[in-house]
Amino acid sequence: MANQMQAAVVERFGQPLVLRSFALPSPGPRQILVRTEACGVCHTDLHAARGDWPAKPALPFIPGHEGIGLVVEVGDGVSAVKKGDRVGVPWLYSACGHCEHCLAAWETVCAKAEFGGYTKNGGFAEYILADPDYVAHIPPGLSATLAAPIICAGVTTYKGIKETGARPGEWIAISGVGGLGHLAIQYAKAMGLKVCAVDIDDGKLAHATRLGAEAVVNANDGDPAAAVKTLTGGGAHGVLITAPSLPAFQQGVGMTRKRGTCVLVGLPPGEFPVPLFGVVADCITIRGSFVGTRSDMAEALAFAADGRVKADIELQPLSAINDVFDRLGRGDVASRVVIDFGAG
Ligand code: NAD
Ligand code: ZN
Ligand code: ZN
């Protein structure tokens, strides 16, 4: 095994990432070392590198939370995985396992949770240190490059759709048809929902139609909330907002059917106004949803392993990361870029 690794590092917020060579980390007790095969590039990595959110990561750090690879070393006391297993190192890097939320199987909101590619170094590196109790177990038959987007974009949208409470035959509106949204459409279809896709890019909407969306709305044409209400006969039973854009949030609440649920997943920095009378009088639920638990992860991966959900990926080398970030920032990535480490 090499004793050096390449990684893309955020040294200063808002500046290009820097490719650097590091000594290979070595796993301590209850840690594992993963040799990265592939890592998806999520819009969250862009927020992280810009320092967009109130709780900022400590500099310097290695982003990436869709890293998939093979376990190459295990520290003392590791029994959950063994050398040679294919695992994913997700956003939910670890949690305490003992607080009220962990005990309720809501480890995603544990106050002591660590986040991959944010509070812990992530997958834009040839090797990743990971917590074996929180890695994703990649089913046999699912390649590393296709698994990568599932461990953030997939699990987040699958969980978010469940949180809408929409039932088979009902409508879901999916706002944002990028990395998250193109998988959301496929999960929603596999779960028996009717999909109305919303984006500001006609190319993304054409893709949504190819993926099975029954209706599409360009949010830049007129009033998208009114358009969705007309197309769905009164509003979508569930709304999932993945767009990293504040106007999409108020529009999403306006697309929600009476007694429906609008789930917020996109994380642009800032706030949005809630039209109070409409939300109260229509008994609308607005709720946040944050990635997914380990159990959601196993379910989300099973859809991909069965071929019911397939990420649309563009492979790039790690050296292209700054160009990929620029493109993602201007909406110029078709679905998901996956960094291919050529290792698997
Ligand atoms: P992406 O850039 O791949 O896709 C965003 C899509 O939104 C693009 O297709 C874009 O055209 C579209 N869009 C932009 N403005 C819009 C608008 N006003 N209305 C409708 N669509 C619009 O991004 P992504 O990787 O899918 O991530 C999306 C957001 O989700 C980011 O803010 C990211 O941080 C967040 N995220 C949240 C979680 C969570 O757990 N809650 C997990 C992963 C990502
Ligand atoms: Zn992500
Ligand atoms: Zn906890």
Side-chain angles (χ1 to χ4, degrees):
M1 200 159 55
N3 56 7
Q4 295 276 308
M5 67 168 195
Q6 287 288 313
V9 187
V10 176
E11 297 190 333
R12 292 219 241 138
F13 293 122
Q15 298 294 314
L17 277 66
V18 183
L19 283 177
R20 290 216 183 284
S21 212
F22 292 88
L24 216 59
S26 129
R30 291 182 298 284
Q31 283 188 323
I32 57 174
L33 185 67
V34 175
R35 182 166 57 90
T36 317
E37 298 173 290
C39 186
V41 184
C42 180
H43 209 108
T44 288
D45 297 313
L46 206 54
H47 294 307
R50 287 175 178 158
D52 269 352
W53 298 333
K56 297 185 200 316
L59 295 170
F61 70 99
I62 303 170
H65 54 272
E66 289 185 350
I68 310 288
L70 300 177
V71 177
V72 288
E73 256 190 83
V74 298
D76 288 342
V78 172
S79 56
V81 298
K82 56 182 190 318
K83 270 193 196 181
D85 286 356
R86 180 169 280 141
V87 298
V89 188
W91 177 256
L92 182 69
Y93 182 94
S94 64
C96 83
H98 302 286
C99 69
E100 61 175 299
H101 308 299
C102 284
L103 291 178
W106 271 94
E107 63 267 30
T108 44
V109 295
C110 175
K112 292 190 175 150
E114 300 278 359
F115 302 117
Y118 204 79
T119 66
K120 295 283 186 184
N121 282 329
F124 295 169
E126 289 173 315
Y127 290 84
I128 323 168
L129 274 184
D131 182 327
D133 291 335
Y134 288 84
V135 290
H137 301 270
I138 308 306
L142 186 60
S143 70
T145 48
L146 284 177
I150 304 298
I151 74 161
C152 177
V155 70
T156 299
T157 53
Y158 171 63
K159 172 69 159 193
I161 293 166
K162 287 203 284 185
E163 290 290 287
T164 68
R167 298 158 64 101
E170 294 185 337
W171 279 102
I172 185 157
I174 293 168
S175 170
V177 187
L180 266 64
H182 92 286
L183 288 171
I185 293 171
Q186 299 179 55
Y187 279 105
K189 295 299 299 175
M191 292 156 85
L193 299 167
K194 288 193 286 192
V195 173
C196 180
V198 183
D199 205 291
I200 52 172
D201 179 312
D202 285 331
K204 305 271 171 84
L205 293 173
H207 192 208
T209 304
R210 287 195 296 275
L211 292 170
E214 279 81 1
V216 296
V217 169
N218 188 319
N220 281 342
D221 294 346
D223 176 354
V228 171
K229 280 202 155 147
T230 304
L231 287 162
T232 58
H237 303 80
V239 177
L240 184 75
I241 305 174
T242 78
S245 151
L246 285 174
F249 286 75
Q250 196 173 357
Q251 292 163 2
V253 172
M255 291 168 194
T256 313
R257 201 180 193 89
K258 291 185 181 194
R259 297 191 288 120
T261 298
C262 179
V263 171
L264 317 183
V265 158
L267 277 167
E271 296 172 7
F272 75 97
V274 172
L276 200 45
F277 187 82
V279 168
V280 171
D282 290 349
C283 295
I284 284 169
T285 302
I286 301 174
R287 68 191 308 178
S289 188
F290 199 40
V291 288
T293 65
R294 288 168 291 178
S295 154
D296 299 316
M297 180 71 86
E299 292 171 26
L301 283 163
F303 278 82
D306 291 351
R308 285 174 290 167
V309 165
K310 187 175 180 204
D312 172 19
I313 57 174
E314 172 193 331
L315 299 181
Q316 290 289 348
L318 185 62
S319 55
I321 191 67
N322 287 311
D323 178 50
V324 172
F325 268 29
D326 288 347
R327 287 173 50 207
L328 200 54
R330 26 171 225 272
D332 192 19
V333 167
S335 295
R336 197 56 136 199
V337 168
V338 172
I339 303 298
D340 182 0
F341 287 82

